[in-house]
Amino acid sequence: VLVTFHPLEFIRQLLAELPGAHLEIEYEVIKRKADIVNTIDALEVDEVVSGKNQSEFDPETYLPPASSAWISGSFSPDENYRKTITVFTCRRLPNPKQEESNQTYTLDRQLVREHIESTCDKWYQTTSPMVTNEREATLRLDFKNAILSQQRAESSLKEEEVTLDLKTCYELMFTEEEKQVLPFDYFIEDWEAYCQNLRTGEDFPRQGMTINTAIDFLKEMQ
């Protein structure tokens, strides 16, 4: 049994395409009263929509799970955020590629990890990208204003070549809501991972970001 606030289709894809697993997947979408989200009393079942392996899915009667808070490219939860949960029930099925007497249910940890990472990347970058056109334009303007306000000596550099320190970048790149989810210390950890995985050259400025690096960082680390 899996209980989740995540979108139904996202979790269903994770489960249905899990390498080495053969599952019968059923779900119930439960609408909840979320006035007090941190107590068990907040959960009241108002309406339940059930489905089985997607074959019974009806978009006309489907009650959507918690809405994404990233639709606009920033963390902006709407009035429906966290107001539904989805309960998945998964039952193992025989592996059609194995004889009945030789059935095994051991999953490959590395394949599972790669599947989760790949599914997360595709889902969030496609359905809820952090870097929308509007957000990129705003970020470019904010970086430009920050560069001008600091009256930098590197006046010969183009604006996209100027590096801002990481603290300034953090303040410009994230909303106050996002900073609650991603404190500065976590941001630095993500930045170090980004530098290690994607930018190994010694000439890469690890102590700050250009605007293009900031945008690429948001896309890669979403």
Side-chain angles (χ1 to χ4, degrees), residues 101-150:
S101 59
N102 295 322
Q103 291 288 320
T104 60
Y105 298 100
T106 302
L107 302 182
D108 186 306
R109 181 183 294 270
Q110 183 59 33
L111 289 179
V112 171
R113 175 193 289 270
E114 292 174 356
H115 168 64
I116 293 174
E117 291 178 349
S118 174
T119 302
C120 286
D121 288 346
K122 291 178 181 178
W123 177 268
Y124 286 108
Q125 291 177 6
T126 300
T127 64
S128 305
M130 286 186 66
V131 186
T132 60
N133 291 337
E134 179 182 359
R135 182 166 188 166
E136 180 175 343
T138 299
L139 191 56
R140 288 186 179 278
L141 180 60
D142 290 342
F143 262 67
K144 178 180 179 180
N145 291 335
I147 293 168
L148 294 176
S149 67
Q150 294 184 15

Short mmCIF file of all heavy atoms in Angstrom, two decimals, residues 101-150:
data_model
loop_
_atom_site.label_atom_id
_atom_site.label_comp_id
_atom_site.label_asym_id
_atom_site.label_seq_id
_atom_site.Cartn_x
_atom_site.Cartn_y
_atom_site.Cartn_z
N SER A 101 7.56 -22.36 -11.49
CA SER A 101 8.35 -22.95 -10.41
C SER A 101 9.62 -22.14 -10.12
O SER A 101 10.29 -22.36 -9.10
CB SER A 101 8.74 -24.38 -10.76
OG SER A 101 9.49 -24.41 -11.98
N ASN A 102 9.94 -21.20 -11.00
CA ASN A 102 11.17 -20.42 -10.83
C ASN A 102 10.90 -18.93 -10.66
O ASN A 102 11.74 -18.10 -10.99
CB ASN A 102 12.10 -20.63 -12.04
CG ASN A 102 12.58 -22.06 -12.15
OD1 ASN A 102 12.87 -22.71 -11.15
ND2 ASN A 102 12.67 -22.55 -13.38
N GLN A 103 9.73 -18.59 -10.14
CA GLN A 103 9.38 -17.19 -9.97
C GLN A 103 10.28 -16.52 -8.92
O GLN A 103 10.49 -17.05 -7.83
CB GLN A 103 7.92 -17.05 -9.52
CG GLN A 103 6.90 -17.43 -10.60
CD GLN A 103 6.83 -16.38 -11.70
OE1 GLN A 103 6.87 -15.19 -11.44
NE2 GLN A 103 6.72 -16.85 -12.93
N THR A 104 10.86 -15.38 -9.28
CA THR A 104 11.65 -14.60 -8.33
C THR A 104 11.13 -13.17 -8.31
O THR A 104 10.61 -12.67 -9.31
CB THR A 104 13.14 -14.57 -8.73
OG1 THR A 104 13.26 -13.99 -10.05
CG2 THR A 104 13.72 -15.97 -8.74
N TYR A 105 11.26 -12.52 -7.17
CA TYR A 105 10.72 -11.17 -7.02
C TYR A 105 11.78 -10.19 -6.52
O TYR A 105 11.48 -9.16 -5.94
CB TYR A 105 9.54 -11.18 -6.05
CG TYR A 105 8.40 -12.03 -6.53
CD1 TYR A 105 8.21 -13.31 -6.05
CD2 TYR A 105 7.51 -11.55 -7.50
CE1 TYR A 105 7.16 -14.10 -6.50
CE2 TYR A 105 6.47 -12.33 -7.96
CZ TYR A 105 6.29 -13.61 -7.46
OH TYR A 105 5.26 -14.39 -7.92
N THR A 106 13.05 -10.53 -6.75
CA THR A 106 14.13 -9.65 -6.35
C THR A 106 14.34 -8.59 -7.42
O THR A 106 14.51 -8.90 -8.59
CB THR A 106 15.43 -10.44 -6.15
OG1 THR A 106 15.22 -11.45 -5.17
CG2 THR A 106 16.55 -9.51 -5.70
N LEU A 107 14.33 -7.32 -7.01
CA LEU A 107 14.51 -6.22 -7.94
C LEU A 107 15.97 -5.79 -7.97
O LEU A 107 16.68 -5.90 -6.97
CB LEU A 107 13.63 -5.03 -7.54
CG LEU A 107 12.13 -5.29 -7.45
CD1 LEU A 107 11.40 -4.01 -7.08
CD2 LEU A 107 11.58 -5.84 -8.76
N ASP A 108 16.39 -5.30 -9.12
CA ASP A 108 17.74 -4.78 -9.28
C ASP A 108 17.77 -3.34 -8.75
O ASP A 108 17.13 -2.45 -9.32
CB ASP A 108 18.14 -4.82 -10.76
CG ASP A 108 19.60 -4.43 -10.99
OD1 ASP A 108 19.99 -3.35 -10.53
OD2 ASP A 108 20.32 -5.21 -11.64
N ARG A 109 18.51 -3.11 -7.68
CA ARG A 109 18.51 -1.80 -7.04
C ARG A 109 18.94 -0.69 -8.00
O ARG A 109 18.35 0.39 -8.02
CB ARG A 109 19.43 -1.81 -5.82
CG ARG A 109 19.49 -0.49 -5.06
CD ARG A 109 20.48 -0.58 -3.91
NE ARG A 109 20.02 -1.51 -2.91
CZ ARG A 109 19.24 -1.17 -1.88
NH1 ARG A 109 18.86 0.09 -1.74
NH2 ARG A 109 18.87 -2.08 -0.99
N GLN A 110 19.95 -0.95 -8.81
CA GLN A 110 20.45 0.07 -9.73
C GLN A 110 19.43 0.39 -10.81
O GLN A 110 19.23 1.57 -11.16
CB GLN A 110 21.77 -0.39 -10.37
CG GLN A 110 22.41 0.66 -11.29
CD GLN A 110 22.74 1.95 -10.57
OE1 GLN A 110 23.06 1.96 -9.38
NE2 GLN A 110 22.63 3.07 -11.28
N LEU A 111 18.77 -0.63 -11.35
CA LEU A 111 17.74 -0.38 -12.36
C LEU A 111 16.57 0.40 -11.78
O LEU A 111 16.00 1.28 -12.43
CB LEU A 111 17.24 -1.71 -12.94
CG LEU A 111 18.22 -2.47 -13.84
CD1 LEU A 111 17.59 -3.77 -14.31
CD2 LEU A 111 18.63 -1.62 -15.04
N VAL A 112 16.20 0.09 -10.55
CA VAL A 112 15.10 0.81 -9.89
C VAL A 112 15.50 2.26 -9.68
O VAL A 112 14.71 3.19 -9.93
CB VAL A 112 14.75 0.14 -8.55
CG1 VAL A 112 13.78 1.01 -7.75
CG2 VAL A 112 14.14 -1.24 -8.79
N ARG A 113 16.73 2.50 -9.22
CA ARG A 113 17.21 3.87 -9.02
C ARG A 113 17.16 4.66 -10.33
O ARG A 113 16.69 5.80 -10.37
CB ARG A 113 18.63 3.85 -8.47
CG ARG A 113 19.26 5.25 -8.33
CD ARG A 113 20.76 5.13 -8.07
NE ARG A 113 21.02 4.64 -6.75
CZ ARG A 113 21.17 5.43 -5.68
NH1 ARG A 113 21.09 6.74 -5.81
NH2 ARG A 113 21.41 4.91 -4.49
N GLU A 114 17.67 4.05 -11.40
CA GLU A 114 17.70 4.74 -12.70
C GLU A 114 16.28 5.03 -13.19
O GLU A 114 16.02 6.09 -13.78
CB GLU A 114 18.45 3.89 -13.72
CG GLU A 114 19.94 3.77 -13.42
CD GLU A 114 20.65 2.80 -14.35
OE1 GLU A 114 19.94 2.16 -15.19
OE2 GLU A 114 21.88 2.66 -14.25
N HIS A 115 15.35 4.09 -12.96
CA HIS A 115 13.96 4.29 -13.37
C HIS A 115 13.34 5.45 -12.62
O HIS A 115 12.66 6.30 -13.21
CB HIS A 115 13.18 3.01 -13.11
CG HIS A 115 11.69 3.17 -13.21
ND1 HIS A 115 11.06 3.50 -14.40
CD2 HIS A 115 10.70 3.07 -12.26
CE1 HIS A 115 9.75 3.59 -14.19
NE2 HIS A 115 9.52 3.34 -12.90
N ILE A 116 13.56 5.52 -11.32
CA ILE A 116 12.99 6.60 -10.51
C ILE A 116 13.56 7.95 -10.95
O ILE A 116 12.81 8.93 -11.14
CB ILE A 116 13.27 6.35 -9.02
CG1 ILE A 116 12.49 5.13 -8.53
CG2 ILE A 116 12.89 7.58 -8.18
CD1 ILE A 116 12.81 4.72 -7.11
N GLU A 117 14.86 8.02 -11.13
CA GLU A 117 15.49 9.28 -11.52
C GLU A 117 15.00 9.71 -12.90
O GLU A 117 14.70 10.89 -13.12
CB GLU A 117 17.01 9.12 -11.52
CG GLU A 117 17.60 8.96 -10.11
CD GLU A 117 19.09 8.75 -10.13
OE1 GLU A 117 19.64 8.51 -11.24
OE2 GLU A 117 19.72 8.80 -9.06
N SER A 118 14.93 8.77 -13.83
CA SER A 118 14.50 9.10 -15.19
C SER A 118 13.04 9.56 -15.21
O SER A 118 12.70 10.55 -15.88
CB SER A 118 14.68 7.88 -16.10
OG SER A 118 14.15 8.12 -17.38
N THR A 119 12.18 8.85 -14.49
CA THR A 119 10.76 9.21 -14.45
C THR A 119 10.55 10.57 -13.81
O THR A 119 9.76 11.39 -14.30
CB THR A 119 9.96 8.14 -13.70
OG1 THR A 119 10.15 6.87 -14.33
CG2 THR A 119 8.48 8.48 -13.70
N CYS A 120 11.28 10.84 -12.73
CA CYS A 120 11.16 12.14 -12.06
C CYS A 120 11.61 13.26 -12.98
O CYS A 120 10.93 14.30 -13.09
CB CYS A 120 11.99 12.15 -10.78
SG CYS A 120 11.29 11.19 -9.42
N ASP A 121 12.74 13.07 -13.64
CA ASP A 121 13.26 14.10 -14.55
C ASP A 121 12.25 14.42 -15.65
O ASP A 121 11.94 15.58 -15.92
CB ASP A 121 14.58 13.65 -15.16
CG ASP A 121 15.73 13.66 -14.16
OD1 ASP A 121 15.56 14.26 -13.08
OD2 ASP A 121 16.77 13.05 -14.45
N LYS A 122 11.75 13.38 -16.30
CA LYS A 122 10.84 13.59 -17.42
C LYS A 122 9.54 14.22 -16.96
O LYS A 122 9.00 15.13 -17.60
CB LYS A 122 10.55 12.25 -18.11
CG LYS A 122 11.74 11.66 -18.85
CD LYS A 122 11.40 10.32 -19.46
CE LYS A 122 12.60 9.71 -20.17
NZ LYS A 122 12.29 8.37 -20.74
N TRP A 123 9.02 13.75 -15.81
CA TRP A 123 7.72 14.23 -15.34
C TRP A 123 7.78 15.72 -14.97
O TRP A 123 6.99 16.53 -15.46
CB TRP A 123 7.25 13.42 -14.14
CG TRP A 123 5.96 13.93 -13.57
CD1 TRP A 123 5.80 14.84 -12.57
CD2 TRP A 123 4.63 13.60 -14.00
NE1 TRP A 123 4.47 15.10 -12.34
CE2 TRP A 123 3.74 14.35 -13.21
CE3 TRP A 123 4.14 12.74 -14.98
CZ2 TRP A 123 2.36 14.26 -13.36
CZ3 TRP A 123 2.75 12.66 -15.14
CH2 TRP A 123 1.88 13.41 -14.33
N TYR A 124 8.70 16.07 -14.10
CA TYR A 124 8.73 17.44 -13.59
C TYR A 124 9.23 18.44 -14.61
O TYR A 124 8.76 19.58 -14.65
CB TYR A 124 9.55 17.50 -12.31
CG TYR A 124 8.82 16.88 -11.14
CD1 TYR A 124 9.22 15.66 -10.61
CD2 TYR A 124 7.70 17.50 -10.59
CE1 TYR A 124 8.53 15.08 -9.56
CE2 TYR A 124 7.01 16.94 -9.54
CZ TYR A 124 7.43 15.72 -9.02
OH TYR A 124 6.75 15.14 -7.99
N GLN A 125 10.17 18.03 -15.46
CA GLN A 125 10.66 18.96 -16.46
C GLN A 125 9.64 19.17 -17.57
O GLN A 125 9.66 20.20 -18.24
CB GLN A 125 11.98 18.45 -17.04
CG GLN A 125 13.13 18.51 -16.05
CD GLN A 125 14.42 17.94 -16.60
OE1 GLN A 125 14.50 17.59 -17.76
NE2 GLN A 125 15.43 17.84 -15.75
N THR A 126 8.74 18.21 -17.75
CA THR A 126 7.73 18.32 -18.80
C THR A 126 6.44 18.97 -18.29
O THR A 126 5.89 19.87 -18.91
CB THR A 126 7.39 16.94 -19.40
OG1 THR A 126 8.57 16.37 -19.95
CG2 THR A 126 6.33 17.06 -20.48
N THR A 127 5.95 18.50 -17.15
CA THR A 127 4.65 18.97 -16.66
C THR A 127 4.75 20.19 -15.76
O THR A 127 3.83 21.00 -15.73
CB THR A 127 3.95 17.85 -15.86
OG1 THR A 127 4.73 17.54 -14.69
CG2 THR A 127 3.80 16.59 -16.70
N SER A 128 5.85 20.34 -15.03
CA SER A 128 5.97 21.45 -14.09
C SER A 128 7.38 22.03 -14.10
O SER A 128 8.07 22.00 -13.08
CB SER A 128 5.60 20.97 -12.67
OG SER A 128 4.33 20.38 -12.64
N PRO A 129 7.81 22.55 -15.23
CA PRO A 129 9.18 23.07 -15.29
C PRO A 129 9.36 24.29 -14.38
O PRO A 129 8.49 25.16 -14.32
CB PRO A 129 9.35 23.44 -16.76
CG PRO A 129 7.95 23.73 -17.24
CD PRO A 129 7.08 22.76 -16.50
N MET A 130 10.48 24.33 -13.68
CA MET A 130 10.77 25.51 -12.87
C MET A 130 11.08 26.71 -13.74
O MET A 130 10.74 27.85 -13.40
CB MET A 130 11.96 25.23 -11.94
CG MET A 130 11.66 24.34 -10.76
SD MET A 130 13.07 24.22 -9.63
CE MET A 130 13.17 25.90 -9.02
N VAL A 131 11.74 26.46 -14.88
CA VAL A 131 12.18 27.57 -15.72
C VAL A 131 11.19 27.75 -16.87
O VAL A 131 11.36 27.18 -17.95
CB VAL A 131 13.61 27.32 -16.26
CG1 VAL A 131 14.09 28.56 -17.02
CG2 VAL A 131 14.57 27.02 -15.11
N THR A 132 10.16 28.52 -16.62
CA THR A 132 9.25 28.91 -17.68
C THR A 132 9.84 30.12 -18.41
O THR A 132 10.80 30.74 -17.94
CB THR A 132 7.88 29.30 -17.10
OG1 THR A 132 8.06 30.40 -16.19
CG2 THR A 132 7.26 28.12 -16.34
N ASN A 133 9.26 30.48 -19.55
CA ASN A 133 9.74 31.66 -20.28
C ASN A 133 9.63 32.91 -19.41
O ASN A 133 10.53 33.77 -19.41
CB ASN A 133 8.93 31.83 -21.57
CG ASN A 133 9.22 30.74 -22.58
OD1 ASN A 133 10.26 30.10 -22.54
ND2 ASN A 133 8.28 30.51 -23.49
N GLU A 134 8.54 33.00 -18.68
CA GLU A 134 8.33 34.17 -17.81
C GLU A 134 9.37 34.23 -16.70
O GLU A 134 9.93 35.29 -16.41
CB GLU A 134 6.92 34.12 -17.21
CG GLU A 134 6.61 35.28 -16.28
CD GLU A 134 5.23 35.17 -15.67
OE1 GLU A 134 4.50 34.20 -15.99
OE2 GLU A 134 4.87 36.05 -14.86
N ARG A 135 9.63 33.08 -16.10
CA ARG A 135 10.61 33.07 -15.01
C ARG A 135 12.01 33.37 -15.51
O ARG A 135 12.77 34.09 -14.86
CB ARG A 135 10.59 31.71 -14.30
CG ARG A 135 11.56 31.66 -13.13
CD ARG A 135 11.32 30.49 -12.24
NE ARG A 135 12.13 30.57 -11.02
CZ ARG A 135 11.93 29.83 -9.94
NH1 ARG A 135 10.94 28.97 -9.92
NH2 ARG A 135 12.70 29.96 -8.88
N GLU A 136 12.36 32.83 -16.67
CA GLU A 136 13.68 33.11 -17.22
C GLU A 136 13.86 34.59 -17.52
O GLU A 136 14.91 35.18 -17.22
CB GLU A 136 13.91 32.29 -18.49
CG GLU A 136 15.28 32.55 -19.12
CD GLU A 136 15.56 31.64 -20.31
OE1 GLU A 136 14.88 30.62 -20.46
OE2 GLU A 136 16.50 31.98 -21.09
N ALA A 137 12.83 35.22 -18.08
CA ALA A 137 12.91 36.65 -18.39
C ALA A 137 13.07 37.47 -17.12
O ALA A 137 13.87 38.42 -17.07
CB ALA A 137 11.67 37.09 -19.16
N THR A 138 12.31 37.10 -16.08
CA THR A 138 12.41 37.82 -14.80
C THR A 138 13.79 37.65 -14.19
O THR A 138 14.39 38.60 -13.67
CB THR A 138 11.34 37.31 -13.82
OG1 THR A 138 10.04 37.54 -14.38
CG2 THR A 138 11.46 38.00 -12.48
N LEU A 139 14.32 36.42 -14.25
CA LEU A 139 15.62 36.15 -13.67
C LEU A 139 16.73 36.90 -14.40
O LEU A 139 17.66 37.43 -13.78
CB LEU A 139 15.89 34.64 -13.69
CG LEU A 139 17.10 34.14 -12.90
CD1 LEU A 139 17.01 34.56 -11.44
CD2 LEU A 139 17.19 32.61 -13.00
N ARG A 140 16.63 36.96 -15.71
CA ARG A 140 17.63 37.70 -16.48
C ARG A 140 17.62 39.18 -16.11
O ARG A 140 18.67 39.82 -15.98
CB ARG A 140 17.41 37.50 -17.98
CG ARG A 140 17.77 36.12 -18.49
CD ARG A 140 17.69 36.00 -20.00
NE ARG A 140 18.05 34.68 -20.45
CZ ARG A 140 19.31 34.26 -20.63
NH1 ARG A 140 20.32 35.09 -20.41
NH2 ARG A 140 19.56 33.03 -21.04
N LEU A 141 16.43 39.72 -15.92
CA LEU A 141 16.31 41.13 -15.53
C LEU A 141 16.87 41.36 -14.13
O LEU A 141 17.57 42.35 -13.88
CB LEU A 141 14.85 41.57 -15.61
CG LEU A 141 14.56 43.03 -15.23
CD1 LEU A 141 15.33 43.98 -16.15
CD2 LEU A 141 13.06 43.30 -15.29
N ASP A 142 16.58 40.44 -13.22
CA ASP A 142 17.08 40.56 -11.85
C ASP A 142 18.60 40.50 -11.80
O ASP A 142 19.24 41.25 -11.07
CB ASP A 142 16.48 39.47 -10.97
CG ASP A 142 15.00 39.67 -10.70
OD1 ASP A 142 14.51 40.80 -10.91
OD2 ASP A 142 14.33 38.70 -10.30
N PHE A 143 19.18 39.59 -12.59
CA PHE A 143 20.64 39.50 -12.64
C PHE A 143 21.22 40.79 -13.23
O PHE A 143 22.24 41.31 -12.74
CB PHE A 143 21.05 38.30 -13.50
CG PHE A 143 21.40 37.08 -12.70
CD1 PHE A 143 20.43 36.41 -11.97
CD2 PHE A 143 22.70 36.60 -12.67
CE1 PHE A 143 20.74 35.28 -11.22
CE2 PHE A 143 23.03 35.47 -11.93
CZ PHE A 143 22.04 34.80 -11.20
N LYS A 144 20.60 41.31 -14.26
CA LYS A 144 21.08 42.54 -14.89
C LYS A 144 21.08 43.70 -13.90
O LYS A 144 22.07 44.44 -13.78
CB LYS A 144 20.22 42.88 -16.10
CG LYS A 144 20.61 44.19 -16.80
CD LYS A 144 19.70 44.45 -18.00
CE LYS A 144 20.08 45.76 -18.68
NZ LYS A 144 19.20 46.03 -19.86
N ASN A 145 19.99 43.83 -13.14
CA ASN A 145 19.88 44.91 -12.16
C ASN A 145 20.91 44.74 -11.04
O ASN A 145 21.48 45.72 -10.55
CB ASN A 145 18.48 44.95 -11.58
CG ASN A 145 17.45 45.41 -12.60
OD1 ASN A 145 17.78 46.10 -13.56
ND2 ASN A 145 16.20 45.01 -12.40
N ALA A 146 21.14 43.49 -10.63
CA ALA A 146 22.12 43.24 -9.57
C ALA A 146 23.53 43.59 -10.05
O ALA A 146 24.33 44.15 -9.29
CB ALA A 146 22.06 41.78 -9.14
N ILE A 147 23.83 43.29 -11.29
CA ILE A 147 25.14 43.60 -11.85
C ILE A 147 25.35 45.11 -11.91
O ILE A 147 26.39 45.64 -11.52
CB ILE A 147 25.30 42.97 -13.25
CG1 ILE A 147 25.34 41.44 -13.15
CG2 ILE A 147 26.56 43.49 -13.95
CD1 ILE A 147 25.20 40.74 -14.48
N LEU A 148 24.32 45.82 -12.37
CA LEU A 148 24.43 47.28 -12.48
C LEU A 148 24.53 47.94 -11.12
O LEU A 148 25.28 48.90 -10.94
CB LEU A 148 23.21 47.82 -13.24
CG LEU A 148 23.10 47.42 -14.71
CD1 LEU A 148 21.79 47.94 -15.31
CD2 LEU A 148 24.29 47.94 -15.50
N SER A 149 23.79 47.41 -10.13
CA SER A 149 23.79 48.03 -8.81
C SER A 149 25.12 47.86 -8.08
O SER A 149 25.49 48.68 -7.24
CB SER A 149 22.67 47.44 -7.95
OG SER A 149 22.93 46.07 -7.66
N GLN A 150 25.85 46.84 -8.44
CA GLN A 150 27.14 46.60 -7.79
C GLN A 150 28.28 47.35 -8.46
O GLN A 150 29.40 47.37 -7.95
CB GLN A 150 27.45 45.10 -7.76
CG GLN A 150 26.50 44.30 -6.89
CD GLN A 150 26.86 42.83 -6.80
OE1 GLN A 150 27.96 42.43 -7.17
NE2 GLN A 150 25.95 42.01 -6.33
#
